[in-house]
Amino acid sequence: MSTTPHEPAGGPPVKRVTVPEIRARKGGTPIVCLTCYHAHTARLLDRHVDLMLVGDSLGMVMHGMETTLGVSLDLMILHAKAVMRGAHRALVVVDMPFGTYEESPSIAFRNAARVIHETGATAVKLEGGARMAETIAYLSARGIPVMAHIGLTPQMINVMGGFRTQGRDEADWPAIEADARAVSDAGAFAVVVEGTAEPLAARITASVAIPTIGIGASPACDGQILVTEDLLGLNPSPPKFVKQYARLGGEIEAAVAAYAEEVRSRAFPGPDNVYGMRKPRA
Ligand code: KIV
């Protein structure tokens, strides 16, 4: 656990889960991860998760974009700052959005350093296996811990022609396994394995030295991550791999409908929801 200079003043000292602690969980108790985009959700998740990811999925979940490709670094930083105000224990990792890291290791460093500097988050995540190994090594050697992301990488949607599950044909396994080895050897502290056939995700987990964090992957992974809004039932058409632990979409709609009805009928605000006059002084 460590403290950072970005923690809010006052209150108890912050003890945050560290990168070496996550790294050391390989093969141990599964690492609990969720996405998080705002301060109030961060407060609710903080006691229960080891790691919060400010994912670029926020472009789709929060901003109604069709893909993650339109997300900017400024938008990621805005949401990451909000999450850091609510998360005082979990490790916070911020996604590098499309176009901010692929060109060269030095450009990736400049943008990732901006994320760490302006938000106080601990680490960044970037998509890509072997092709990003040089960048992962460059950032890690210069003080920026990197979580890698292989298998289905949503920023490649235009090349893949859609969100396609990876590794369903054994012929595709060697390249994905090589990606996993490459990011591990390059110094990533963990790797997200997304949308990957279960036997391949299990095999990768058994063969790499760093924790694998599965999403649509395998129960054998060293940890799991989901988009929080998906597990809460706020996504009307979640992917097959999502388990909904609540149905908040329906609850929100019912609450809003009840409010609308009470406003129209003047049942709200009631006597408890208004302010009276001060009693006159004697
Ligand atoms: O952006 C995101 O939320 C992610 C997770 C799905 C792993 O990358």
Side-chain angles (χ1 to χ4, degrees):
M1 299 269 190
S2 71
T3 58
T4 88
H6 288 77
E7 309 304 350
V14 170
K15 293 276 186 206
R16 198 178 286 286
V17 175
T18 66
V19 161
E21 283 167 351
I22 294 292
R23 173 78 183 70
R25 297 269 293 274
K26 176 76 191 171
T29 309
I31 303 161
V32 181
C33 313
L34 280 175
T35 62
C36 191
Y37 315 129
H38 23 58
H40 63 82
T41 316
R43 266 180 225 115
L44 294 171
L45 303 187
D46 200 36
R47 281 176 44 221
H48 305 283
V49 304
D50 301 303
L51 185 154
M52 283 183 214
L53 171 69
V54 186
D56 63 351
S57 51
L58 64 82
M60 299 167 78
V61 178
M62 301 298 300
H63 297 273
M65 297 175 184
E66 289 266 312
T67 72
T68 57
L69 300 180
V71 174
S72 68
L73 196 63
D74 285 343
L75 193 60
M76 293 306 301
I77 288 173
L78 187 74
H79 282 274
K81 281 181 177 171
V83 169
M84 287 299 288
R85 288 185 202 112
H88 301 143
R89 187 197 143 272
L91 180 76
V92 177
V93 178
V94 182
D95 249 342
M96 296 299 293
F98 177 68
T100 64
Y101 64 93
E102 303 90 333
E103 198 174 341
S104 72
S106 57
I107 289 175
F109 181 82
R110 199 166 315 138
N111 287 325
R114 215 189 123 199
V115 169
I116 302 295
H117 187 234
E118 293 183 26
T119 69
T122 302
V124 298
K125 176 168 83 57
L126 49 82
E127 294 185 10
R131 71 175 190 283
M132 293 314 303
E134 189 191 349
T135 297
I136 292 169
Y138 190 94
L139 299 190
S140 307
R142 287 162 180 76
I144 302 183
V146 179
M147 190 178 202
H149 184 155
I150 62 165
L152 192 166
T153 46
Q155 292 176 12
M156 292 294 276
I157 185 171
N158 288 335
V159 175
M160 294 186 297
F163 294 118
R164 306 218 183 288
T165 308
Q166 303 292 298
R168 294 188 103 171
D169 296 313
E170 255 187 77
D172 300 331
W173 285 23
I176 303 169
E177 290 183 278
D179 277 343
R181 273 195 308 276
V183 299
S184 175
D185 293 349
F189 72 89
V191 55
V192 169
V193 180
E194 177 168 358
T196 299
E198 196 281 325
L200 174 58
R203 191 173 145 110
I204 288 171
T205 300
S207 67
V208 293
I210 56 174
T212 56
I213 308 297
I215 173 163
S218 169
C221 287
D222 300 295
Q224 301 292 332
I225 187 162
L226 282 177
V227 169
T228 298
E229 282 71 6
D230 285 351
L231 83 83
L232 293 178
L234 289 166
N235 178 352
S237 44
K240 164 191 157 69
F241 59 75
V242 168
K243 179 169 175 184
Q244 292 184 322
Y245 288 82
R247 307 268 169 186
L248 294 196
E251 281 192 40
I252 290 174
E253 224 188 312
V256 172
Y259 166 76
E261 202 282 312
E262 289 200 359
V263 169
R264 289 190 184 109
S265 67
R266 297 193 187 280
F268 177 86
D272 292 346
N273 312 114
V274 294
Y275 295 101
M277 299 295 287
R278 228 178 235 122
K279 285 198 182 103
R281 285 200 193 126

